[in-house]
Amino acid sequence: MAVRGASGGQVMSLDSLVRVGRGMRVTAAPRRLPVPEGMTAPLGCDAVAVPARFGPLVLPRLPRVGCVYADDTHWWWIVPSDSDYALEWPESVRYSTGAVVSETPHLIHRPEGPVPYTPPIPLYLALCRVMGTTPIWSRQLSA
């Protein structure tokens, strides 16, 4: 299918129109959350993002806090790669493989020591607690 302008100008196919429309969208280029200088991430990095209103509620519930990034809408915790394995994170949590984000958050917490990680199980339990979700292993199974 092609579309011709009323003045008899250039013919554009529907595919071309779709490509032009997609090209007009302005989105921030995805980027990885940076590991602060002097820190290493031997287990790789993923990120767990939560709505900003939950961040201050989760922070004091954690026994160890790694790097935390924030902006006006989300807080991100750096966790080891594959921390989503066998976990069903609460619904409003975003798990980002490779710690890739489209936002530009700033570092609000840097731990002492050389690794940037927040332990994923305590983070998961704290998030379940503040979000009113039952951890996956505590849910009743149906036959």
Side-chain angles (χ1 to χ4, degrees):
M1 178 177 164
V3 177
R4 181 179 299 279
S7 63
Q10 182 180 5
V11 175
M12 293 189 81
S13 71
L14 186 55
D15 289 337
S16 296
L17 290 171
V18 169
R19 276 194 300 276
V20 167
R22 287 181 181 157
M24 294 175 60
R25 294 182 190 150
V26 177
T27 58
R31 62 189 136 298
R32 291 180 186 264
L33 290 174
V35 173
E37 190 171 322
M39 298 187 101
T40 61
L43 302 175
C45 284
D46 288 348
V48 175
V50 301
R53 70 181 181 274
F54 293 115
L57 302 172
V58 171
L59 208 52
R61 295 176 184 269
L62 297 171
R64 182 188 187 287
V65 179
C67 289
V68 181
Y69 297 82
D71 66 14
D72 293 337
T73 58
H74 291 93
W75 283 33
W76 289 264
W77 277 265
I78 296 289
V79 294
S81 291
D82 299 324
S83 293
D84 60 337
Y85 180 75
L87 287 180
E88 189 176 306
W89 292 86
E91 192 171 311
S92 58
V93 170
R94 274 191 343 216
Y95 188 89
S96 173
T97 302
V100 175
V101 298
S102 57
E103 298 85 352
T104 308
H106 58 280
L107 183 66
I108 62 169
H109 183 269
R110 179 186 171 144
E112 295 293 325
V115 293
Y117 305 125
T118 296
I121 298 299
L123 177 59
Y124 172 78
L125 292 171
L127 287 169
C128 286
R129 179 73 170 183
V130 301
M131 294 179 170
T133 302
T134 303
I136 189 87
W137 53 78
S138 296
R139 296 182 189 155
Q140 290 188 355
L141 298 175
S142 58

